[in-house]
Amino acid sequence: MKKIRFDVKGMTCSACSAKVQQAVERIDGVIDAEVNLLTNTMIASFDETKTSPREIISKIDSIGYKATVHGNRDDNDEKRQITDDEAIKEKKRLIWSVVFLIPLMFVSMSHMFGINLFENNIFALGLTQFILLIPILSLNCSYFKNGFRALIRLSPNMDSLIAIGAGVSVIYSLYSLYHLGNTAYLHIVGSIPYDAHHFMPDYYFEAAGMILTFITIGKYLEAKSKSKTSGAIKMLMELAPQKAIIEKDGTEYEIDAQKIQQGDTVIVKNGMTVPVDGAIISGECSADQSAITGESTPVDRIIGDKVISGTIITSGYIKITAENVGNETTLSKIIQLVENATASKPPIARIADKVAKYFVPAVILIAVATTAVWLFTGSTVAFALNFGICVLVISCPCALGLATPTAVMVGTGKAAQMGILVKSASALETLSGIKTVIMDKTGTITEGKPGVTDVIPCENCTESELLEYAYAVEKLSEHPLSTAVVEYAESQGVKLKKADKFKSITGKGISGEINEKAIYAGNLSYIKAVGVNTDTISNEADKLSSCGKTPLIFSDDNRVLGIIAVSDKIKATSKEAVEHLREMGIEAVMLTGDTEKTARAIQEQSGIAKAYAQVLPSDKERIIREYKEKGKTAMVGDGINDAPALVSTDVGIAVGAGTDIAIESADIVLIKSDLNDVAKALLLGKAVMRNIKENLFWALIYNVVCIPTAAGLFYNILGWQLNPMYGTIAMSLSSICVVSNALRLRKFKPKFKKTADKKHIDYDTVAVNKEEKMIKKAIIEGMMCNHCKASVEKALNGIEGVSSVVVDLENKTATITGEADNEAIKKAVTDAGYELVDIRE
């Protein structure tokens, strides 16, 4: 199946979009089509073996519209420029229409002010009105061309209603003018006696002029309002600089930013915007990423750090190597995601689509029936036509067509500004009904990498001495726990001492010598094996282990120096986010492959009441299915190991994708990796759905109330008779109201309840695979690609007693579940051609 986006020109109302969708879906091989009136686009899913884009375009062209395959970002720039130019033309057309409408209204209504322009020459009065109407008809001829063309094809739209209403007004007025002229001629020649009644015809020239002019006013105001709905996309587009500076052979050149190629050295100075994604190779800076990630505080960047396109350098000077350029940059992908989301439709839009399909034909029938009924009751032709024309011009299919896409466009744009990328409108709708949020632990609730949590020196050693010894020996190790200790020591400004004679014992610990003094670091059993008494710290080590932390014991040949505890720390905002979800009435559930002890520790730190420990990848889908039976469920994960779970849930939310925004398995991507954004996304989803329902209600209730009123249903009871002029004003205002209501979403701010009393939480931890004896993590060097990953998985799965293996290529680790001794693991890895660095239990 292939999915392609098309630009469709010529659509003016929901009837048009419904007609295009219906025609495309009838093509053999087309699976689904979503037409968006607001953006004039269509997303079609089709089988390439049965149909092609050319056939789809041909079909759209055959029903009176013009379609092209949606282009790249440059084409989008041009398209937006064309849209702005059209708005300018619309404004000019409106101004000239008003210029001719004012004298037309003056001439037609002069008698109301006691002004006798033509001394009772009614023929001259009518002829003057017609002459003044001709420029208005000419300026707004597109309504007649499009309307009657659609009518001939038996697919009437809003232009058809306007064309019929204004056309009937003009034709009847011309008939009256001709009839008056003929009657006057017959009187002059004496064929008939003078009768004043013959000289008082009903002219509707001014009604036709008002219909066309007021419709144009409405169209212009609607276009202005609609342009504001895409403000977020325009803001993102403006972040991309037009020019950039590159360096070649020591010389600086200014070029178009779109011409930067991979590997180019790009110079970004203070105040400039980063044009591409890349890595800093020289200099340092402070970068404002607020427009991309929503972070208000600038972040510091040094050599080796990544910078993303759209980032503004607030201070400093850097040179970067271009990595992602053109349409592959983070900014371009964000824009593409937002545009795709705005072009899609949520399921609730089907209500409007079904109504729109029959709306215009029904209105035409009602208008004809209204005129016929009033004529049948003995009313004059002019009186009956007034009601019929009013029904045509007051009906508004536009409001129905705009109800959903305006809210979706503003909502997804607002989400992008908040650092939340929504891939489809259906995801927004599903968000509004979420009952359970299931979260993976590592990288979602926690930082995803170990960090030092406790430094506990013994009585015979100071904290600074303990850190100096730890820093010296751990600096020589590549183990993730060693890296955590090194990073902490560096952050504390600890002086690095020289260590040598480094040794690593897989699964136990490491050792080295500092000034000919042996230093050991590892687990409790390793320190005991060295021959050092650990009685003084065993209780403290057990206490740290019960909290889900890994205690690293440090000693020399004679005594224990202290403990440094390392764990995967929870993110600063995780607990707050869980509290927000609880306040919203949404259950938070944690999944982790760790032991019950570790899971319970994370639960107590984050406030998550329900947790599943020792979860295998295959278990996640089963647990999600169980929760889906209770209500709509969202899964939050890092988008790597959680891909199957993200796909199987109602809404998949990927966390931690600042530069990897195109995670295929997720429906929503959180750029900042902040769990608070999950709660914000849920609130935004509710706000968007509430706005859509308000728009649909207004669009439907407007027509339900106005059409009967325009038809004269209340004339005999209340004496209500609408003038076609007021009908056109009401129709224009209905569309403007819908768009204006959607624009309120631009001011959306997530508001969470403040609970003074913290409720007691009954923690529930379920061990899914209690029968599994052990989970071990092996550090493996030499893996370079997915082929290496597959080789290691195959080798480890071949060990007797191993039930599952998960290899993380990026972190060079393999998580092994089951009964397997360290020697068997080492042999399997070595035989596969790789190096086993360490094993942690």
Side-chain angles (χ1 to χ4, degrees):
M1 183 184 78
K2 191 170 185 179
K3 185 178 285 189
I4 290 183
R5 185 177 176 188
F6 297 85
D7 294 322
V8 184
K9 294 182 180 179
M11 297 189 297
T12 58
C13 67
S14 57
C16 297
S17 58
K19 185 68 178 178
V20 171
Q21 182 169 326
Q22 184 181 19
V24 172
E25 288 182 340
R26 284 178 177 173
I27 299 173
D28 184 34
V30 172
I31 300 165
D32 181 54
E34 290 183 351
V35 182
N36 189 306
L37 177 62
L38 181 65
T39 57
N40 289 321
T41 58
M42 177 189 72
I43 296 177
S45 302
F46 57 93
D47 184 346
E48 289 182 277
T49 62
K50 294 183 178 180
T51 189
S52 64
R54 181 175 294 179
E55 186 176 346
I56 293 172
I57 290 172
S58 177
K59 183 65 177 179
I60 295 173
D61 290 349
S62 70
I63 59 173
Y65 304 95
K66 184 68 177 176
T68 55
V69 175
H70 187 72
N72 57 30
R73 206 177 89 183
D74 292 334
D75 294 333
N76 295 339
D77 290 339
E78 184 180 347
K79 182 181 174 183
R80 268 180 273 272
Q81 183 60 46
I82 291 172
T83 303
D84 293 339
D85 291 344
E86 287 176 352
I88 294 171
K89 290 179 182 177
E90 194 84 15
K91 185 177 180 179
K92 289 180 179 178
R93 186 159 63 94
L94 169 60
I95 291 171
W96 282 108
S97 295
V98 171
V99 166
F100 287 101
L101 179 66
I102 291 173
L104 172 60
M105 294 297 295
F106 177 74
V107 169
S108 64
M109 301 176 70
S110 58
H111 64 281
M112 296 176 62
F113 303 102
I115 301 174
N116 191 351
L117 287 177
F118 298 96
E119 297 181 353
N120 295 324
N121 188 337
I122 309 301
F123 181 81
L125 179 68
L127 184 61
T128 303
Q129 289 182 37
F130 178 62
I131 292 171
L132 289 171
L133 177 64
I134 290 174
I136 300 176
L137 293 174
S138 176
L139 287 165
N140 297 278
C141 62
S142 59
Y143 293 124
F144 296 96
K145 289 179 181 177
N146 297 332
F148 288 122
R149 187 185 296 127
L151 202 59
I152 292 169
R153 291 193 174 94
L154 301 179
S155 57
N157 55 21
M158 191 195 75
D159 285 353
S160 302
L161 299 180
I162 298 168
I164 294 172
V168 168
S169 299
V170 174
I171 291 171
Y172 178 73
S173 299
L174 286 174
Y175 166 77
S176 297
L177 185 63
Y178 170 80
H179 183 66
L180 173 64
N182 184 56
T183 303
Y185 171 75
L186 293 175
H187 170 68
I188 291 170
V189 297
S191 299
I192 60 172
Y194 175 80
D195 186 348
H197 176 72
H198 288 288
F199 293 88
M200 294 299 294
D202 294 297
Y203 292 136
Y204 280 94
F205 291 122
E206 83 283 0
M210 284 190 294
I211 289 171
L212 295 172
T213 303
F214 279 109
I215 287 294
T216 303
I217 292 172
K219 285 282 188 183
Y220 172 69
L221 294 177
E222 181 184 314
K224 291 287 287 182
S225 298
K226 282 162 63 176
S227 68
K228 293 179 183 178
T229 65
S230 59
I233 296 177
K234 290 179 180 178
M235 185 196 74
L236 289 171
M237 293 292 297
E238 288 169 359
L239 288 176
Q242 299 298 314
K243 300 289 184 179
I245 299 173
I246 65 169
E247 183 182 71
K248 286 187 177 180
D249 301 325
T251 305
E252 295 183 9
Y253 300 93
E254 185 178 75
I255 63 170
D256 289 337
Q258 286 293 312
K259 293 182 179 179
I260 298 175
Q261 298 180 350
Q262 272 187 326
D264 282 349
T265 298
V266 182
I267 295 174
V268 190
K269 302 176 182 179
N270 183 22
M272 294 177 64
T273 301
V274 179
V276 295
D277 299 344
I280 298 176
I281 57 174
S282 175
E284 57 185 37
C285 69
S286 183
D288 179 3
Q289 301 181 154
S290 58
I292 305 297
T293 66
E295 294 172 294
S296 57
T297 307
V299 293
D300 294 331
R301 291 287 183 259
I302 59 175
I303 293 175
D305 287 344
K306 304 281 187 179
V307 289
I308 55 179
S309 53
T311 298
I312 300 172
I313 304 303
T314 57
S315 65
Y317 172 97
I318 57 172
K319 292 181 182 180
I320 64 173
T321 298
E323 295 179 349
N324 298 322
V325 301
N327 292 326
E328 296 302 313
T329 65
T330 297
L331 181 60
S332 294
K333 289 180 178 178
I334 289 175
I335 293 169
Q336 190 61 47
L337 278 180
V338 175
E339 287 188 329
N340 287 343
T342 57
S344 64
K345 282 185 179 180
I348 195 173
R350 293 171 189 163
I351 298 172
D353 290 342
K354 288 179 180 178
V355 174
K357 186 177 178 181
Y358 306 103
F359 183 82
V360 174
V363 168
I364 293 174
L365 289 176
I366 292 171
V368 172
T370 297
T371 306
V373 168
W374 281 107
L375 287 173
F376 182 76
T377 57
S379 301
T380 64
V381 174
F383 189 81
L385 281 178
N386 182 86
F387 287 112
I389 292 169
C390 207
V391 168
L392 290 170
V393 298
I394 205 170
S395 305
C396 188
C398 273
L400 274 173
L402 295 172
T404 300
T406 50
V408 169
M409 174 169 274
V410 180
T412 51
K414 184 64 181 179
Q417 291 176 346
M418 295 163 60
I420 302 167
L421 304 182
V422 181
K423 287 188 176 181
S424 68
S426 61
L428 268 179
E429 179 172 343
T430 308
L431 275 178
S432 65
I434 292 297
K435 301 298 181 186
T436 306
V437 174
I438 299 174
M439 295 176 274
D440 180 56
K441 179 186 77 72
T442 306
T444 303
I445 300 171
T446 65
E447 295 287 355
K449 63 178 183 178
V452 172
T453 59
D454 302 88
V455 179
I456 308 170
C458 290
E459 293 181 1
N460 54 6
C461 182
T462 65
E463 181 175 324
S464 60
E465 288 175 335
L466 175 59
L467 287 173
E468 284 180 357
Y469 290 133
Y471 187 16
V473 293
E474 298 287 9
K475 182 71 173 178
L476 303 176
S477 173
E478 295 180 351
H479 193 282
L481 298 183
S482 299
T483 303
V485 173
V486 170
E487 289 178 353
Y488 180 78
E490 290 175 345
S491 70
Q492 298 298 309
V494 177
K495 184 178 178 182
L496 179 62
K497 292 185 176 182
K498 184 179 180 181
D500 51 21
K501 297 184 180 180
F502 175 78
K503 291 181 182 179
S504 175
I505 302 174
T506 303
K508 297 293 183 180
I510 60 175
S511 66
E513 286 190 7
I514 303 172
N515 297 328
E516 298 183 354
K517 180 180 180 179
I519 299 296
Y520 304 92
N523 56 32
L524 204 60
S525 61
Y526 174 62
I527 301 300
K528 285 179 180 179
V530 172
V532 178
N533 189 331
T534 60
D535 291 343
T536 57
I537 50 89
S538 58
N539 288 336
E540 189 67 36
D542 289 340
K543 190 187 297 183
L544 292 168
S545 296
S546 66
C547 294
K549 301 175 182 179
T550 301
L552 300 177
I553 318 298
F554 292 84
S555 77
D556 56 21
D557 283 322
N558 304 310
R559 59 195 173 92
V560 174
L561 301 173
I563 303 173
I564 296 180
V566 178
S567 74
D568 185 4
K569 297 184 290 186
I570 73 165
K571 294 176 181 176
T573 57
S574 292
K575 186 173 184 178
E576 183 184 29
V578 172
E579 287 178 2
H580 290 330
L581 292 175
R582 189 181 301 113
E583 290 160 2
M584 293 165 64
I586 295 171
E587 182 181 8
V589 178
M590 181 179 75
L591 305 182
T592 177
D594 291 331
T595 62
E596 284 183 78
K597 189 182 292 184
T598 302
R600 187 56 175 257
I602 297 298
Q603 274 185 277
E604 293 175 354
Q605 292 176 55
S606 63
I608 296 176
K610 184 80 172 182
Y612 291 85
Q614 295 176 242
V615 176
L616 301 176
S618 57
D619 295 321
K620 291 182 180 180
E621 291 181 71
R622 176 180 57 78
I623 294 170
I624 287 172
R625 282 198 302 270
E626 291 174 0
Y627 276 95
K628 283 178 71 174
E629 292 175 0
K630 302 176 185 178
K632 290 184 178 179
T633 303
M635 172 69 191
V636 188
D638 58 17
I640 302 170
N641 297 327
D642 302 310
L646 290 170
V647 171
S648 64
T649 192
D650 292 304
V651 177
I653 303 176
V655 181
T659 56
D660 184 19
I661 65 170
I663 299 177
E664 295 298 329
S665 53
D667 302 298
I668 293 172
V669 179
L670 308 181
I671 297 178
K672 289 185 291 184
S673 304
D674 186 345
L675 270 185
N676 265 327
D677 285 346
V678 175
K680 292 176 183 178
L682 293 171
L683 285 177
L684 180 61
K686 291 178 184 292
V688 170
M689 281 308 300
R690 184 166 56 248
N691 194 278
I692 289 174
K693 290 174 181 177
E694 290 169 354
N695 286 346
L696 286 174
F697 173 79
W698 166 254
L700 291 170
I701 204 69
Y702 164 84
N703 286 292
V704 168
V705 172
C706 288
I707 291 177
T709 303
L713 187 64
F714 305 106
Y715 178 74
N716 292 325
I717 303 171
L718 302 172
W720 290 356
Q721 181 183 8
L722 287 179
N723 186 299
M725 176 183 70
Y726 299 126
T728 57
I729 294 172
M731 190 196 76
S732 300
L733 287 176
S734 66
S735 294
I736 295 168
C737 286
V738 165
V739 177
S740 299
N741 186 50
L743 287 173
R744 291 191 304 113
L745 288 170
R746 294 198 301 176
K747 298 180 180 180
F748 168 81
K749 290 182 180 179
K751 295 180 180 179
F752 301 106
K753 297 177 183 177
K754 299 293 182 181
T755 51
D757 300 324
K758 299 298 180 182
K759 295 182 179 179
H760 173 71
I761 301 172
D762 294 320
Y763 293 107
D764 182 15
T765 311
V766 179
V768 178
N769 295 285
K770 283 188 176 181
E771 71 281 1
E772 303 295 351
K773 297 290 182 70
M774 192 177 295
I775 298 177
K776 298 183 178 183
K777 182 167 285 188
I779 314 300
I780 302 170
E781 283 296 330
M783 294 190 296
M784 303 296 290
C785 62
N786 285 324
H787 176 73
C788 298
K789 176 182 174 181
S791 299
V792 172
E793 283 180 346
K794 183 178 179 181
L796 293 174
N797 276 315
I799 301 173
E800 185 177 354
V802 171
S803 58
S804 72
V805 176
V806 177
V807 177
D808 186 339
L809 186 61
E810 183 178 351
N811 294 316
K812 312 297 184 188
T813 62
T815 303
I816 306 155
T817 305
E819 297 181 357
D821 59 46
N822 293 348
E823 288 303 320
I825 294 173
K826 184 175 182 179
K827 185 176 185 304
V829 172
T830 304
D831 290 348
Y834 303 95
E835 179 187 354
L836 181 66
V837 177
D838 198 1
I839 297 177
R840 293 286 179 177
E841 298 180 2

